[in-house]
Amino acid sequence: MEKTVYSLCFMCSVRCPIQVTVKDGQVTFIQGNPKVPGIEGSLCPRGAAGIALLYDAQRLQSPMIRTGERGSGSWRKASWDEALDYIAEKLRAILKKHGGQSVALIERANLATHVSKAFLKAIGSPNYFSHDALCKGSVNTACRSLFGYTDAQMGIDYKNTRHIVLYGRNLFEAIAVKEVNQMIEALGAGAKMTCIDPRVSITATKAHRYWMIRPGTDLALNYALIHVILKERLYDAAYVERWVLGLNELQDFVQPYTPEWAEQETGIPAAEIVTLAREVSREKPAVIFHYGYRGAHHTNEIYLRRSILILNVLMGSVEAKGGLFFKKGPGEVGRKPARKLTDQKFPAVKAPRIDKVGTPDFPLPDPEHGVPQVLPQAILSEDPYPLKALFAFRMDPLMSMPDTNLTKKALQKLDLVVACDINWSDIAWWSDVVLPESVFLERTDCVQQANGQKPQMFLRRRAVPPRYDTRDWAVIVKQLAERIGAGDFFPYQDTEELVRWQLEGTGFTLEDFDKTGFVAYTDKQILWDRLGGLKLKTPSQKIEFTSSLLENAGFPSFPPYEPVPAYEGNRFRLITGRAALHTHVSTQNNPYLHELLPENELWIHARRAAALGVKDGALVTVASRVGSGQIRARVTEHIHPDCVFLLHGFGHEAAFAARACGRGVSDALLEENLTDRVGGSPALHDTTVTVQPV
Ligand SMILES: Nc1nc2c(c(=O)[nH]1)N[C@H]1C(S)=C(S)[C@@H](COP(=O)(O)OP(=O)(O)OC[C@H]3O[C@@H](n4cnc5c(=O)[nH]c(N)nc54)[C@H](O)[C@@H]3O)O[C@H]1N2
Ligand SMILES: Nc1nc2c(c(=O)[nH]1)N[C@H]1C(S)=C(S)[C@@H](COP(=O)(O)OP(=O)(O)OC[C@H]3O[C@@H](n4cnc5c(=O)[nH]c(N)nc54)[C@H](O)[C@@H]3O)O[C@H]1N2
Ligand code: SF4
Ligand SMILES: [Mo]
């Protein structure tokens, strides 16, 4: 018997719509959902490897309880009742002695985030952490500082653009399938692409213009671009006049930042900077200066991201066809979004967040997400209070937060560490109890509210029953909540029942998703009137170049540029990023993907390598102040001499993930735990490393 199931991929968090073919109870084929515009059957390599995940015997198969020291790899199998009772008993004691605030939960924001948040609210903890700050916290804060919206409330109209400028946004390797397809369509229709990256990425090889910028100097480039655009009056005057607060202040500020000055700092010829400014302005407003996906490079990250967004505003491209747009929700057409468990009434939580977000110490990052990389210091210093328990769901703080050794030290201080994963991740390896989740092909998930130019909802549906003794997170949380007297907040038996509860009042039912996998609130695209009708959420209801958010918190809107030092001898700036074949830290043990790309290498410039006696393919020691490792060198002309590049996600430690264990080096082991204290992102590219032949 053969059936077709419409669902959502979860080989990464992009959640591309998929069509799954099931034959005699086995998944035989996965393709992009042909009924979704922009997807039309396509899938990335990781999505195609979903089948290998489903049938991988090295994934988690049942709950496990640790029997030896943390990280020692001694485990025993447990039943669900046993594992949940074990956690509940410890949790009850912790809550009684230290209160709700002593428990934190960290996860990759996902469709069941409202379940995780409801759990913390039910036990009285303010300490919810998503991955958001690690990925793009400063982009979030930058967007709020200008528009009053988060980056998640904004989108990019690739398809209709005439010119896109990418600051390290590696579109064709760090993939979201729909974005890739739309960009290819735009390029086919004659759009231009400018790619700025200290490394020749695949995206760079497809660009019309490529600049090998000196790493860390993009802000200098942008100050110069703004300088030229204002001086030559290349901006959209009517738009800027209508919406912008602080143009004069910006004009005065960028005065000294000439293209000639920027050439010295960035290595990009002044004349080319002027040419780009003129070229994009001819296409305005259908221009995108891409504000980035991962915005976690430097301690002044927020100011780089603001400068990119300001360039869009000068082009008048925000809410223009072929530019950026504000996402529209069902409210825009008088309808209701799916319900969330967090819509219920919970007892008030009095304690401040343990990361101090939302207090004068750390005022601006988004308290809906928190800033996870400051957790290790908070745990170790017990400032502002002790933390006793950590739940890690679908997120690995050991490999996804800078300075693994520091994170390990903090973990050792906790009374309870629980991981819910599908794989033997390093955090699973270092926890006390491991709870295995069913993989995406085996489970129905909470509703995806997909706001955009057209508000829609998508659903992940179970294609086949679980192969092992695994459960859905929403069910696991409910069963744990029941054991500590908080079950009432979770009014369902299984995830399908929860979805039905979510859909009440939306006008849609679960069955409405059967035919295509999604439902739409409206057929038409909604764009506000660009010159008359932007609904900005800043206090001034303007686009705030001079930002009340920043200035009320004591931060400048336009900080002077601080020069970036040169790297010489055996010293390099470490930079990191993605390849098309892997997702962060989760796919290195996937049988297909492992075969295609089993370990990472250290990219190093040929001239610098020769001076150090480093040969292509030979082992080198790469070391920072906080960690070191041995890795093969990839000697190439395709990287700026100041930096070395390490593909993120390798160097796994969990022995039961046998294919990936010990292969390559983890960037997180080398990166210092530094933070943009204004925007909230970690500064993953501000670590200096030394390289020497082994
Ligand atoms: N050092 C360093 N740190 C980084 C980055 C970097 O480049 N370098 N990148 C940052 C960015 S952009 C991001 S978005 C974050 C991502 O950080 P993470 O969310 O930690 O990374 P992922 O690889 O997406 O997934 C983490 C875990 O989720 C598990 N998982 C996958 N699918 C499921 C599932 O269906 N259920 C459950 N329960 N678990 C599942 C995986 O096995 C893996 O162990 O990392 C950030 N941190
Ligand atoms: N295949 C794949 N696709 C993914 C993911 C994945 O794990 N795998 N994850 C998804 C997620 S959560 C995210 S956040 C996105 C990330 O998407 P991107 O942000 O596009 O990707 P990264 O690879 O993190 O970007 C790093 C790029 O910045 C460059 N870079 C380093 N330093 C500088 C600098 O100083 N200036 C400039 N201009 N560039 C610099 C690096 O060389 C690298 O090419 O990808 C998404 N898509
Ligand atoms: S980008 Fe690839 S891995 Fe991520 S959801 Fe889409 S198909 Fe799956
Ligand atoms: Mo990310």
Side-chain angles (χ1 to χ4, degrees), residues 253-319:
F253 171 75
V254 293
Q255 244 250 309
Y257 299 114
T258 61
E260 292 71 24
W261 165 83
E263 175 173 339
Q264 297 304 313
E265 184 66 9
T266 63
I268 301 166
E272 289 197 37
I273 297 174
V274 175
T275 304
L276 177 67
R278 290 177 186 160
E279 210 176 281
V280 288
S281 72
R282 282 197 289 276
E283 304 288 358
K284 66 178 183 289
V287 171
I288 298 162
F289 284 87
H290 201 299
Y291 49 80
Y293 196 156
R294 180 170 61 85
H297 297 200
H298 309 299
T299 50
N300 64 349
E301 191 76 20
I302 183 172
Y303 292 108
L304 169 61
R305 301 301 156 180
R306 269 174 59 82
S307 71
I308 299 174
L309 289 161
I310 286 173
L311 282 162
N312 286 289
V313 175
L314 294 175
M315 293 295 110
S317 76
V318 182
E319 205 62 13

Side-chain angles (χ1 to χ4, degrees), residues 65-88:
I65 297 179
R66 184 168 58 77
T67 53
E69 292 290 299
R70 276 206 184 114
S72 65
S74 307
W75 297 92
R76 68 178 171 87
K77 262 191 181 178
S79 70
W80 276 99
D81 275 344
E82 212 182 337
L84 292 171
D85 287 345
Y86 179 99
I87 298 169

